[in-house]
Amino acid sequence: MFLMKRLFCLAAIAAALMGQSVSAEAAGVELSVGQTGESTMTYRLGLQFDWDKSWLQSDVGRLTGYWGGGYTYWAGRHGASNNSLSFSPVLVYEFSGQNVKPYVEAGIGVAVFSGTRVENQQLGTSFLFEDRLGFGLRFAGGHEVGVRATHYSNAGLNDVNSGVESYALHYTMPF
């Protein structure tokens, strides 16, 4: 529990610093709940800072992105719980719409875990790479709901590299 509080404080400080150093159009708080392939529950609290950029804008939609950082608690059923901090740049293709805009997203970032194991998955190192794919809906006013698959592995930095995936539902509210 002490480690979890400490990691949460570090995540809050990192998010605050990230917000000061990144030009952002809008910001949001992300809450998500998910599950791994081994049924380990995941709970994430994150911050999202939209980029003040847009590419390939057309009648169909536009390409944009955001910086995402967060704290995730991995609730192991058999005592192999874990905590992680992550940071990723994420590309988003947002389809056109008035009040609702569907989107797809993909990103590659980094994560630091408090241990090298989640349930029966041996991660090999505490430093991992985060790959994410997702889709969802953005509503007028900045609220967002979506589904995301996130994969963590050490990319061969260690001989042990089982990796772990989380499949989550998320909600982001603007602030």
Side-chain angles (χ1 to χ4, degrees), residues 19-142:
Q20 295 299 316
S21 64
V22 175
S23 171
E25 182 178 287
V29 174
E30 172 199 337
L31 304 169
S32 73
V33 62
Q35 191 172 21
T36 69
E38 291 189 340
S39 301
T40 300
M41 294 299 295
T42 60
Y43 305 95
R44 179 180 170 92
L45 173 63
L47 291 176
Q48 181 172 306
F49 295 93
D50 292 341
W51 297 344
D52 191 17
K53 302 260 187 240
S54 187
W55 303 276
L56 305 173
Q57 193 150 352
S58 71
D59 292 340
V60 175
R62 70 186 182 121
L63 181 64
T64 186
Y66 65 88
W67 298 105
Y71 163 78
T72 305
Y73 175 67
W74 303 73
R77 292 175 296 153
H78 305 292
S81 297
N82 210 321
N83 303 277
S84 64
L85 294 175
S86 59
F87 177 77
S88 290
V90 181
L91 287 172
V92 178
Y93 191 84
E94 181 181 82
F95 294 92
S96 298
Q98 294 270 344
N99 295 322
V100 179
K101 296 178 182 180
Y103 70 88
V104 294
E105 68 177 18
I108 298 175
V110 294
V112 177
F113 280 64
S114 61
T116 59
R117 184 178 171 156
V118 174
E119 290 284 348
N120 293 326
Q121 299 299 108
Q122 294 291 338
L123 304 174
T125 64
S126 292
F127 176 80
L128 301 172
F129 294 94
E130 175 188 89
D131 305 319
R132 66 167 73 184
L133 290 173
F135 63 91
L137 301 171
R138 288 184 171 169
F139 299 94

